[in-house]
Amino acid sequence: MNHDTLQKLRKMRLPAFAKAYAEQANDPDTYSALTFDERLSLLVDAEFDTRTNNKVRRLLKGAHLPDSSAYLGGIEYLPDRNLDKDLFATLRTNEYLRKGLNVMLIGATGCGKTYVACALATNACRNEYRARYYRLSEFFGDMEAARLQGKYNDVINQLRGIPLMIFDDFLLIPTTQDEQRDLFILLRARDEAKVSTILCSQVSIAGWHERLGSGGVADTLLDRMTANGYAITIGGDVSMRKRHSRI
């Protein structure tokens, strides 16, 4: 009977349940004091935990984060960084994702913008939200390739509904008209879908307008992003890379 049950569990794609069931069957003395409900609960927990962990691993891999080990508990609230612990406590709850709010991380090179963004993304993935990281130049490259392959609308539709997208090195250099159009189309679609975007930039928000062409597209983009988002300026006299240098 045990063999038949194990085979059925495996055919139903319940491998963790089957493994835990086999362990109970092979060691009856350990589990004899438990009630049926308690033993069943252990089996269900084994399958549920395995599926959840596998899903989190898939989400983290699919996010393409440069640092998937980053976590919110690793953020350093040094005095010169001017980070608001209360705000990050709020962000930890992922309420901003449920509301489709944006996060704009502004600061000099090396201040830790990418780490903070990755920490927010890993927190999202561990709570079973999809995320996707892009350096802005990589995004523009992918959009140009999609345009040439006739897949532009397909790619926009794939990206518009991702609960959390990160654009790093945002507006590091001025954008072309095609790039402005790509950003406008995607960010407008994401705003309409009420999903969240994190922008990491060395350029102040006031300076984004010029790098987006200083026209109507710039006005619309900035209005959409800043009206529903948190602007976080990360300070620091010494870069985080130098603080943690191995030398």
Side-chain angles (χ1 to χ4, degrees):
M1 183 179 69
N2 289 346
H3 176 75
D4 289 344
T5 301
L6 284 170
Q7 290 297 100
K8 290 175 183 177
L9 288 170
R10 288 167 181 151
K11 284 184 178 180
M12 290 188 293
R13 298 182 180 179
L14 298 170
F17 194 114
K19 181 181 178 182
Y21 174 73
E23 290 174 354
Q24 289 194 19
N26 292 329
D27 189 9
D29 293 340
T30 299
Y31 300 95
S32 60
L34 301 179
T35 66
F36 172 81
D37 285 341
E38 288 171 337
R39 294 179 66 171
L40 178 61
S41 178
L42 290 175
L43 300 176
V44 173
D45 286 348
E47 183 66 35
F48 181 83
D49 291 345
T50 297
R51 290 191 177 207
T52 299
N53 291 335
N54 288 340
K55 182 177 182 180
V56 169
R57 279 195 288 271
R58 288 195 301 272
L59 289 170
L60 287 170
K61 183 178 180 181
H64 299 282
L65 301 174
D67 186 357
S68 58
S69 66
Y71 67 110
L72 290 174
I75 296 175
E76 298 181 45
Y77 296 92
L78 301 172
D80 61 332
R81 300 190 79 196
N82 300 317
L83 296 177
D84 186 340
K85 284 187 178 181
D86 291 337
L87 173 56
F88 278 93
T90 299
L91 294 174
R92 184 188 292 271
T93 67
N94 290 316
E95 183 67 17
Y96 75 104
L97 292 175
R98 290 186 281 276
K99 292 182 177 180
L101 301 179
N102 305 309
V103 178
M104 292 150 283
L105 300 170
I106 313 300
T109 182
C111 73
K113 300 183 297 296
T114 300
Y115 184 91
V116 172
C118 288
L120 289 169
T122 59
N123 186 64
C125 291
R126 295 188 186 283
N127 285 275
E128 301 185 44
Y129 289 95
R130 281 191 303 148
R132 181 65 164 91
Y133 172 95
Y134 266 113
R135 294 194 185 280
L136 191 60
S137 58
E138 294 170 349
F139 166 72
F140 288 146
D142 282 0
M143 297 312 298
E144 178 61 23
R147 202 167 8 247
L148 294 173
Q149 295 166 10
K151 298 179 180 179
Y152 188 89
N153 289 334
D154 293 337
V155 173
I156 291 292
N157 288 331
Q158 289 170 10
L159 298 179
R160 74 184 300 273
I162 296 176
L164 178 62
M165 282 195 71
I166 299 170
F167 288 113
D168 206 350
D169 293 336
F170 188 69
L171 301 181
L172 195 59
I173 58 175
T175 51
T176 66
Q177 287 187 346
D178 282 344
E179 291 168 347
Q180 292 164 24
R181 178 174 175 271
D182 293 340
L183 273 178
F184 177 75
I185 290 173
L186 179 60
L187 294 182
R188 179 181 62 181
R190 289 181 58 76
D191 183 65
E192 291 171 351
K194 293 182 171 59
V195 290
S196 300
T197 304
I198 296 177
L199 305 177
C200 304
S201 183
Q202 296 180 35
V203 181
S204 68
I205 294 175
W208 291 0
H209 194 269
E210 180 181 354
R211 297 190 180 213
L212 286 169
S214 300
V217 170
D219 292 335
T220 304
L221 272 181
L222 290 177
D223 182 61
R224 286 181 180 273
M225 294 306 299
T226 59
N228 297 298
Y230 299 102
I232 301 173
T233 300
I234 304 176
D237 298 326
V238 180
S239 79
M240 297 305 290
R241 294 191 188 98
K242 288 184 179 179
R243 292 182 201 266
H244 296 286
S245 172
R246 293 187 297 274
I247 299 176

